Amino acid sequence: MKNKILTLIFILYIFFFAVGSLIARDRDFSDMENRELADMPKLSGKTLASGDFFEDFETYLSDQIICKDFLMKLKVSSNLALGQTKVEDVFFGDGDMLIKEYVNPYNQLGKNIGYINEFVDANPEFEFTWLIVPNACVIYEERLPNYAQCYNQNEVMAYIIGTASDNMNVADCTRELMDAKEEYIYYNTDHHWTMNGAYIGYGVLCEALSVDALSKDMYNIRVASDEFLGTLYSSAPTFSQGADSIILYENPMGEYKVEYLDTGDVSDSLYNYDNLNIKDKYTTYLDGNHAIMKISSNSSNKEKLLVIKDSYAHCLLPLLADNFSEIYVVDLRYYHQSVSELARAEGIERIVFINNLDFLSTDNNFLWLE
């Protein structure tokens, strides 16, 4: 009798997911995974003969299975309860914190430093500053699970400083972030720093640029959302994970114009408030990733700045906008034109790199620097 009940349960399970997945409306996008989902592949003699149809159909079924988000959380939560401490490259840290793994970086890191040094040395007419930001794995090393290891980012930072061009002014904000580690400076569910952390980096960068950082009391600081579940949560979702807060620093005296030169969109705000209502709430800061943008402000400093950045800069640039009346911003993942020609055409004298260590160690787009 027991075997019959188990068999019936198994048949009902298969029937529910097979039939449910077929009759349920296909989803175009997964908020949980923050990606587009596969469509039903088209059947043709060519795709059938090559086997592409069956491969694409398997991907389609995997993407469109009913209750997929629930099943993902059930699987990860079960494994966590059984003692698993890591999913893919994400550790389950103490204090409800997800921490991205950092592995030996030197292969790609060495190439990227070479590209940057070559660019700096080939353009001596510009003044270069490089803000390098550590990741949570070094600031909160004590929160890693027992026996979990991340490659030593302090060692990597020393290597970068030692090998950077003599024409590059390197600013390291590790010590300042370590001193503030009891504050909310990195997200628990995302690989970025919070705007509190970015404010600390902003102070270090301003010192390197010899400009005065605005004090915190100049801003209206508020929690714009407390429902943010970031990229690390997408890789390791559980039922028990608490959400993060999106914090905004808004200068009531500031006047801004943001021109997204890759799309033609223009905004009078440094924040896209509509994005507080989507899953990837980090895109509230400067509307997320863009190839090139121009930020203008009512700053009394008329000096122009060009920033070459990754996404850690998104919540720092709204602060830096109060120090320069014009800032051009490029992201080498999407901008593949000459940066030096852009700087000369716009009369820019100072170029700033803003990179986090994980990005600097893995991204392969620095080769576009010229």
Side-chain angles (χ1 to χ4, degrees), residues 230-266:
T231 56
L232 302 184
Y233 174 81
S234 295
S235 297
T238 62
F239 293 111
S240 60
Q241 181 66 54
D244 277 302
S245 297
I246 294 292
I247 300 168
L248 302 183
Y249 284 47
E250 297 166 314
N251 179 6
M253 304 300 294
E255 298 176 6
Y256 311 100
K257 179 181 179 182
V258 182
E259 300 171 71
Y260 299 101
L261 301 178
D262 53 349
T263 64
D265 294 329
V266 179

Side-chain angles (χ1 to χ4, degrees), residues 19-27 60 64-66:
V19 175
S21 298
L22 288 174
I23 65 176
R25 184 176 179 179
D26 287 352
R27 296 186 300 163
Y60 165 76
Q64 299 296 345
I65 186 171
I66 192 171

Side-chain angles (χ1 to χ4, degrees), residues 39-79:
D39 295 324
M40 179 69 177
K42 294 181 179 180
L43 179 62
S44 68
K46 182 178 180 181
T47 60
L48 196 60
S50 66
D52 289 344
F53 174 80
F54 296 104
E55 183 177 339
D56 293 342
F57 186 70
E58 183 178 351
T59 301
Y60 165 76
L61 289 179
S62 176
D63 275 5
Q64 299 296 345
I65 186 171
I66 192 171
C67 302
K68 182 181 181 182
D69 292 350
F70 173 83
L71 293 173
M72 287 177 62
K73 286 195 282 188
L74 180 62
K75 177 184 177 182
V76 176
S77 296
S78 300
N79 289 339

Side-chain angles (χ1 to χ4, degrees), residues 176-284:
E176 289 80 3
L177 289 168
M178 288 291 290
D179 290 344
K181 66 188 302 180
E182 299 305 319
E183 303 174 23
Y184 184 50
I185 58 174
Y186 285 85
Y187 293 113
N188 289 321
T189 68
D190 194 75
H191 63 287
H192 294 102
W193 55 0
T194 68
M195 202 163 189
N196 291 336
Y199 179 80
I200 295 171
Y202 161 68
V204 173
L205 179 57
C206 283
E207 183 177 354
L209 293 171
S210 299
V211 298
D212 294 327
L214 269 67
S215 63
K216 275 192 175 183
D217 57 18
M218 293 290 292
Y219 300 97
N220 293 329
I221 303 175
R222 66 184 180 94
V223 175
S225 172
D226 56 6
E227 299 178 344
F228 175 43
L229 294 168
T231 56
L232 302 184
Y233 174 81
S234 295
S235 297
T238 62
F239 293 111
S240 60
Q241 181 66 54
D244 277 302
S245 297
I246 294 292
I247 300 168
L248 302 183
Y249 284 47
E250 297 166 314
N251 179 6
M253 304 300 294
E255 298 176 6
Y256 311 100
K257 179 181 179 182
V258 182
E259 300 171 71
Y260 299 101
L261 301 178
D262 53 349
T263 64
D265 294 329
V266 179
S267 175
D268 62 358
S269 175
L270 298 163
Y271 307 105
N272 185 335
Y273 297 102
D274 290 341
N275 288 355
L276 291 168
N277 300 313
I278 66 175
K279 197 268 184 183
D280 190 5
K281 292 175 172 55
Y282 189 76
T283 60
T284 299

